[in-house]
Amino acid sequence: MTAPATTPPPAARFRLLVNAVRGSWRRRPAVWAFAAVCLLGLALLLDDFGPVVRVFPGSALLAVVLLALTVSLGTAVLGRVRPFRAPPPGWAWSGVLWGATAAAGCALVANTGLQGIWSKSAGIGFGSRWAAALTAPLNEELLKLCGVVLIALVARPLVRGPLDGFFLGAFTGLGFQVMENWTYAMNAILLGGGVHGTAEVSQSFATRVMVTGLGSHWAMTAVAGTGVGILLSHGDRPVRRRIAPAAACVLTAMGMHWLFDAPLLDSAAGLGVRVGVNFLIALGFAVVLRHRARRRARAFLLSPRTPLSVDLLTRRSRSRALRGLPPARRPAAAARASAYLEVVEEQAAVWRDPARAVPGRAHPA
C-alpha cells in the first residue's frame, strides 16, 4: 500500500452499497421490524399533525425546508468529525430515519400517557412543571436507543466499539431532534392562530436550532449510543464487564435530558448553561473516543507486523498521497485504501498492543 485515497471511486462505492444491502437483507426479521416501526411512527405523526399541514401547507413546507437544511448540515458535520472517514451513508441515514419517524412518532403517544400519570398522581401544578423532565428522559431516550440497538445489530460489522456507537447515536438523535423541532413549529402555528405562520416557523427554528440545538437530542443519544458500542465491541472483554459502563452512558444521557427539560435555571442565562453542559459532555465523549481510536490506529499502522502506511490515518494525508500519484493510478489506489481502512477502523476499535495485532487481518483482499 503506497498511495491511499480519500474515497473510493463511484463504482466501488456502489459495490459496497450493494453488499451492505445484501447483508442487511439476510437479517430480514430485524430489517422488517425496523421498517414496520418506522412506518408506525410516521403514521402517528401524520395522524397528529396531518390536519395542521392541510390547513397551513405553506408554513409546514417552510418548516420542512429549514429542518431539511438542518439535518443535511448536521450529518455533514458529524461525518467530518468521525475519524478516518465519513460513515457509510445508509448506516448514518438509517439512524436519522429511525429518530425522525419511529422514535418521534411513538414518543407522541408514550409522552402523553406518562405525563397524564404524573399530573393525576402528583397534581396538575407538579405535572405542569416537572412532567416533561420526568417523562422525556425515560420515553424518548429509550425509544431512540431501541433504534440504535436495532441498527447496530443489523449492521453489526459497522459498530466495532464505543466510537461507532457514539456516532450512530448522534445520527439517530439528530433525526429525532429535527422531527421534534418540526412538531414544535406546527404547534407554534396553532398557538399563534395561523395568522403569522412564517414568523412562527422562523422563530421556532431560530430558538430550537440556533439557540438550543447544540445541546439537544443528538448530544444525548450520542452518549447513550456509546453504551451500545461498548456492549457490542469487537474486543475480547467479557460482556459482564461491559454492562456497568454501558449502563452509565445511558443514565448519563437520561441525566442530560432531565437537565435540558427540568424547570431549573429558568432564564436565558440558565438555558445557555443547560445547553452548554450537554454540549460539553458530548464533546468530551467525542474527544476522548477519537483520541483513543486514533492512538490505537497509529500504533497499529506503525507496528512492524503490518505493511500498511501511516498515510491511512487522516483524510489529509490520504488526499496528499493521492495527489502524488499519476491520475491513471488513482482509482485503483482509492479502492485499495477503502479496503485497508476497514482493517484500520477495526484495529482502532479493539486493538491495544502491537504484539497482539492479528497478522491475517492486515492484508485484506
Side-chain angles (χ1 to χ4, degrees), residues 16-34 88 90-91 94 150-158:
L16 289 173
L17 179 61
V18 170
N19 290 335
V21 171
R22 287 175 177 171
S24 298
W25 187 250
R26 297 189 188 103
R27 302 172 176 86
R28 286 189 202 180
V31 174
W32 282 115
F34 178 90
W91 180 76
S94 293
L150 186 58
I151 297 168
L153 291 175
V154 171
R156 187 67 182 85
L158 298 179

Side-chain angles (χ1 to χ4, degrees), residues 184-202:
Y184 270 76
M186 296 301 97
N187 285 329
I189 294 172
L190 292 178
L191 291 174
V195 179
H196 304 292
T198 300
E200 299 291 349
V201 168
S202 301

Side-chain angles (χ1 to χ4, degrees), residues 250-276:
V250 176
L251 291 175
T252 299
M254 289 182 173
M256 294 165 66
H257 206 147
W258 177 86
L259 175 65
F260 191 85
D261 287 338
L264 304 174
L265 304 174
D266 199 8
S267 64
L271 178 62
V273 169
R274 287 181 284 163
V275 172

